[in-house]
Amino acid sequence: MIGRYRDFSEWGPDQYLAHDPLLNRQVIVQFLPQACDEVFEWVRKLARAGGPLVQRLHDFGKEQDRSYLIRELVEGRSLAEIGPDPKLLPPLLAALDQIHKSGLQHGDLSPANAVLSSEGVLRLTNLCYQGRDDKEALAEVTAWFDVQGSLFK
């Protein structure tokens, strides 16, 4: 139990699906490796970056010497599940641009972290503190579109 969040189940590395009883919604709880001024600045930027193309940050806190994020649950299918649809590359680039304009890197850009929501909007999820550079990751993702896409022609 963290704050008001209940009913934790494993979602991914250091991530859990939980229930917010106050707002009656499912959320993602992610634990951070450390809490320092640099992390707080990253979290502030992350809060500004969320929106229609990027997973929103709902809350941030610290409990028992562990910092955590409460993020929106983006329901849908990842690009890794869908496969490379060329129509989804422009929205992916627009979402990445939204993140960069907030002064952030995605840090873990991959087909698994690009989700086509149930509303039909491609959204980037799981922004990572101290992840890898987006230029390298973007080259890999666009190559994945090219290589994988050619398999379906």
Side-chain angles (χ1 to χ4, degrees):
M1 182 169 79
I2 297 291
R4 69 178 188 247
Y5 306 98
R6 308 278 185 271
D7 304 325
F8 284 67
S9 59
E10 205 165 322
W11 187 257
D14 290 323
Q15 293 187 24
Y16 299 87
L17 181 66
H19 181 71
D20 178 346
L22 181 65
L23 299 176
N24 193 29
R25 65 181 173 192
Q26 296 293 100
V27 296
I28 301 297
V29 178
Q30 180 180 8
F31 292 99
L32 297 175
Q34 58 190 348
C36 63
D37 290 343
E38 187 177 299
V39 170
F40 295 138
E41 184 56 32
W42 178 80
V43 169
R44 287 182 192 104
K45 289 178 181 178
L46 184 61
R48 289 190 299 268
L53 304 176
V54 178
Q55 181 181 38
R56 289 177 178 89
L57 176 67
H58 289 314
D59 198 4
F60 169 72
K62 185 176 179 181
E63 199 163 298
Q64 301 173 356
D65 294 329
R66 289 190 81 184
S67 295
Y68 61 89
L69 303 173
I70 305 298
R71 296 185 191 210
E72 165 188 26
L73 173 62
V74 178
E75 297 189 71
R77 294 178 34 207
S78 73
L79 283 182
E81 296 170 304
I82 295 168
D85 181 341
K87 294 180 296 210
L88 296 176
L89 185 56
L92 183 142
L93 296 174
L96 193 58
D97 186 55
Q98 180 179 329
I99 292 167
H100 291 168
K101 285 181 178 173
S102 296
L104 295 173
Q105 295 278 309
H106 184 283
D108 192 20
L109 185 63
S110 70
N113 288 331
V115 176
L116 186 61
S117 72
S118 52
E119 294 84 25
V121 177
L122 188 74
R123 312 239 351 249
L124 287 178
T125 62
N126 297 324
L127 277 74
C128 186
Y129 177 69
Q130 293 183 330
R132 67 186 189 143
D133 184 76
D134 284 350
K135 286 181 183 177
E136 175 187 322
L138 183 58
E140 290 174 12
V141 169
T142 54
W144 176 81
F145 268 93
D146 290 342
V147 171
Q148 296 293 320
S150 66
L151 298 175
F152 300 107
K153 290 181 181 176

